[in-house]
Amino acid sequence: MTLVQMHRPASANLTHRTVSEVMDAAGPQVCDDMSVEVALSVMTAARTGRLVVCDQDGQCAGLVTQTELTAVRDSSAYTDRVRLRDILRDHGSFTSPVTTASEAEQAMRFLRLGAVPVVDEQGSALGVLALSR
């Protein structure tokens, strides 16, 4: 039960570490009006498997993964008019940088989330917290 982004000795205790100490950089951030095809292209260019999605005000709206986008693109209902805002799941699943890493990990496992955005008080994405498989 370790977090992917943790660059720490295996013996380090998560109980007292905060999310800000173990999160990964936010990486590419895209607007929620981006099409699925363009988002997949951004992921390929950035060599990443997920994107932080922001709304028109720059506030974090959630995460999308390459697996999710590929499934949408390959579905029979897909059109080139589908935007990221149309497919965002777990809109309210975020964590704070001051939450303990163990609390965040427990919540993510309970909600069955592989990764969540880390946001500040204004809703801006600071990073991403991801569980190992």
Side-chain angles (χ1 to χ4, degrees):
M1 288 170 87
T2 59
L3 298 168
V4 171
Q5 289 79 11
M6 291 186 189
H7 303 290
R8 61 175 173 75
S11 61
N13 187 342
L14 294 181
T15 305
H16 302 296
R17 298 193 72 174
T18 64
V19 167
S20 65
E21 295 175 275
V22 297
M23 70 181 182
D24 197 15
Q29 296 184 31
V30 297
C31 193
D32 64 357
D33 66 350
M34 182 177 281
S35 73
V36 170
E37 284 295 330
V38 173
L40 284 166
S41 294
V42 170
M43 280 185 188
T44 300
R47 295 185 177 151
T48 186
R50 65 180 167 254
L51 296 172
V52 173
V53 181
C54 298
D55 64 16
Q56 298 296 326
D57 298 323
Q59 301 223 331
C60 184
L63 282 176
V64 292
T65 66
Q66 186 173 21
T67 303
E68 292 169 331
L69 295 181
T70 301
V72 168
R73 184 195 59 199
D74 294 345
S75 75
S76 61
Y78 176 74
T79 71
D80 61 355
R81 294 180 183 240
V82 176
R83 300 290 177 237
L84 296 180
R85 73 170 65 95
D86 301 328
I87 62 168
L88 278 176
R89 298 182 307 120
D90 303 315
H91 180 74
S93 299
F94 305 102
T95 193
S96 164
V98 297
T99 302
T100 66
S102 61
E103 289 173 329
E105 180 180 14
Q106 184 178 13
M108 290 169 65
R109 290 192 187 282
F110 179 77
L111 296 171
R112 297 179 185 208
L113 300 173
V116 292
V118 179
V119 298
D120 63 15
E121 299 82 22
Q122 291 78 37
S124 298
L126 301 173
V128 174
L129 187 65
L131 294 174
S132 64
R133 299 228 188 281

